[in-house]
Each structure stands twice: as C-alpha cells, then as structure tokens.
Amino acid sequence: MRKLLILVSVAVFGSFISCGNDEKADGYGNFEATEIMISAEANGKIEFLNLEEGVILEKNQTVGLIDTTQLYLNKQRAIASLKTIESRSGNVLSQIAVLNEELKTARNEKGRIQNMSSENAATQRQVDQAVGKVNVINQQIKSVGTQNAPIVNEVKSAEVQIKIIEDQIQKSKIINPVKGTVLSKYAEPGEITAFGKPLYKIADLSTMQLRTYISESQLAGIKIGQEVTVKIDDGDTTKSYKGKISWIASEAEFTPKIIQTKEERVALVYAVKIDVKNDGSLKIGMPAEMWVSQ
C-alpha cells in the first residue's frame, strides 16, 4: 500500500510539472514557397536541358534549347525575299530620282522663258509649253510613286516576318526567369516538347513562408511587419528562427482540416503568412509553430 502511494504521488507530481511547462504556441502551420512552373515557349526537340532537381539556378541563366533549325532556314528565306523586294523598290526610287532631275531642269527652263516673255522675247506658246512640261513630269513622279507604295508595304511586311522569326528563335532558348531551387524536372534532352508543356518547377527557398492561422481574439495582437518567433522540431528539442509577418488575411475562414480537433475545425480563423530566412533546414510542407512573444 505504501509503495502504491509513492507511485501515485510521483505520478501526480510529474503531471503537475508537465502542466506547468505546457505552453501553447500562438499559431501552427506549414512552410510554403512560391512555386513557378516553367513551360516551353516553342515546339520541337529539346537539344539540351542542363538542370537537375535540387540545383540552384540564377535569374536569366540559359538552361536549355529547343531545336531552331527550321526557324533559322525560315529566317534566311525571309531575308532573301526582303532583298528581292528592296531591289524592286530601288528601281522605282531610281526612276523617281531621274524624274526629279528632269523636273529641276524643266522648272529652270520655265523660269527662263517666263522672264523672256516679260521682255517680249518669248511667245505665250513657249511659256505654255514650259509650264506643261513641268506639270507632266510632276504627274509622272506621282505615278511612279504610287508603284512604290505597295512595294514599301511589302518591305515592312517582310521586316515584321523576320522579327517574328527572331522572337521565335529567342523563345526557343530556355532561360530561367527567377533565382531558385529546381523542385521537379519534367523533360529530358531529346524529347519533343510543345508550347505550354511544363519543363521544370522552381521556387526561391532562400526565404520561406509559414502559413498559420489565428483566432479573431488574437488578431488585435499582430500586425504586418511585426517580428515573431518560429519554431520547428529538431530531434528531441526545437529550433527557433526569427520571422516577420508579411500578410494577414482580410476575411475569416473555417479552420483548415489540418487542425486535428473537431472543436477547432469549426472555428473561424484568419490566415497569416510569416517570412523566415532559410538556413537550409526549412522545407516545403514542414510543420512549424508561431510564437508572438518569446
């Protein structure tokens, strides 16, 4: 009986100590990061794709190439077509240049005859002929100029076509848009890809976001920019990080199903995001706690 009393006393004392140290965090949640799906912007065979899962890629780093052979040949054909059109335009412009020289001479002749007429040294017929010649040349210039207008449009169209092909060639280069870690790889060199087909997924893991939930009563105690403590499990202990609240939901929602108890799941809560610098230990989906005051 005495032995039983001692055991009960120890159990009660241990329970008392445990309850005394049982502090609850202000919020629970999981780490997440902005994941970006990188897709192909061209059709064709993947010539190379230099990346693997877990590799950190720099922003604007070229990591792959989709075959550009057909695009290159189309560009050469468009350039040849443009040169042919420009030669036609050059012939028309040469004609206009010749006519402009003739117009210059005709105008000088008209001025000379008009001066002679004022001194009664030339007849009205000569004046009319000189004026008529100037008018005829002006009409010829306009006529030839109308022939050049559609050629100019063809030149512009060919130049636009070349720019389109150059843009397609540029988009055949697989250029990483943001610095981050490759999370998943969906394609391999030698495979045929198509516009919009996923190639790999990347996320910046240097700063992670802990998404947690707080009750309405806690809402007044936090604000955007506020520093908090974030804890994760580290073996038998916990590891602490400094975090900063970056977002607070403007509307309440029902507690997500990851909250275990039925009573907590029916409560209305507000989602909160906390930015935490990653030392390499934080992973997407990892659970963590938020402590407002530590």
Side-chain angles (χ1 to χ4, degrees):
M1 183 69 178
R2 184 178 178 184
K3 183 177 181 181
L4 180 60
L5 273 173
I6 293 172
L7 289 174
V8 170
S9 299
V10 170
V12 171
F13 181 69
S15 177
F16 174 78
I17 294 175
S18 176
C19 291
N21 291 333
D22 188 18
E23 294 184 41
K24 282 190 175 182
D26 296 292
Y28 302 88
N30 298 82
F31 281 108
E32 58 184 35
T34 302
E35 300 178 6
I36 301 175
M37 188 73 70
I38 309 302
S39 301
E41 295 185 84
N43 304 320
K45 184 174 73 173
I46 300 174
E47 293 293 332
F48 70 90
L49 189 60
N50 294 335
L51 56 87
E52 295 296 337
E53 294 179 358
V55 170
I56 298 177
L57 301 178
E58 296 295 329
K59 183 178 180 179
N60 296 327
Q61 179 180 341
T62 300
V63 297
L65 177 69
I66 299 171
D67 183 31
T68 59
T69 302
Q70 292 300 317
L71 292 173
Y72 173 78
L73 294 176
N74 288 339
K75 180 182 177 180
Q76 296 306 308
R77 181 172 60 185
I79 291 173
S81 176
L82 175 60
K83 290 180 179 179
T84 301
I85 298 169
E86 287 176 338
S87 66
R88 286 165 48 200
S89 178
N91 292 334
V92 173
L93 294 176
S94 296
Q95 295 179 42
I96 293 176
V98 170
L99 289 172
N100 280 326
E101 287 299 321
E102 291 182 7
L103 178 62
K104 183 178 178 180
T105 302
R107 283 174 174 170
N108 290 337
E109 181 67 14
K110 184 184 76 170
R112 187 179 66 82
I113 293 176
Q114 286 176 335
N115 290 335
M116 291 174 61
S117 175
S118 63
E119 298 175 359
N120 296 323
T123 64
Q124 184 60 41
R125 182 180 178 182
Q126 290 175 308
V127 173
D128 292 341
Q129 288 177 339
V131 172
K133 187 173 182 180
V134 169
N135 291 336
V136 167
I137 296 174
N138 276 322
Q139 289 301 321
Q140 288 177 332
I141 291 174
K142 289 181 181 179
S143 177
V144 175
T146 58
Q147 297 175 20
N148 193 50
I151 297 176
V152 171
N153 290 333
E154 287 184 52
V155 169
K156 291 180 180 178
S157 177
E159 289 174 342
V160 170
Q161 183 62 31
I162 291 172
K163 289 181 179 179
I164 291 174
I165 296 173
E166 288 175 342
D167 180 65
Q168 292 174 333
I169 291 174
Q170 180 62 28
K171 288 180 177 178
S172 296
K173 300 175 183 177
I174 304 170
I175 300 175
N176 184 57
V178 295
K179 181 177 180 179
T181 302
V182 178
L183 303 179
S184 302
K185 183 180 179 182
Y186 306 114
E188 295 292 341
E191 293 182 357
I192 303 299
T193 189
F195 181 87
K197 186 176 180 180
L199 299 175
Y200 63 97
K201 182 165 62 177
I202 191 171
D204 183 3
L205 303 183
S206 61
T207 298
M208 304 286 287
Q209 287 79 44
L210 173 63
R211 178 187 282 269
T212 185
Y213 299 88
I214 60 171
S215 63
E216 186 176 2
S217 60
Q218 293 174 286
L219 193 60
I222 65 170
K223 60 182 179 180
I224 293 177
Q226 179 178 342
E227 290 190 352
V228 297
T229 300
V230 172
K231 294 183 179 182
I232 63 171
D233 291 334
D234 186 19
D236 296 332
T237 61
T238 59
K239 187 176 181 180
S240 298
Y241 294 84
K242 289 182 179 180
K244 182 178 290 186
I245 297 175
S246 59
W247 175 78
I248 302 173
S250 57
E251 295 182 2
E253 59 182 285
F254 283 106
T255 309
K257 291 182 179 180
I258 56 172
I259 303 302
Q260 297 301 315
T261 66
K262 182 178 179 181
E263 291 75 12
E264 288 177 322
R265 285 205 302 269
V266 299
L268 286 173
V269 294
Y270 291 84
V272 176
K273 285 186 180 181
I274 303 154
D275 290 344
V276 182
K277 290 291 183 182
N278 190 1
D279 61 356
S281 299
L282 307 181
K283 309 295 181 185
I284 294 175
M286 178 182 287
E289 302 174 349
M290 175 191 73
W291 298 74
V292 174
S293 57
Q294 274 291 305

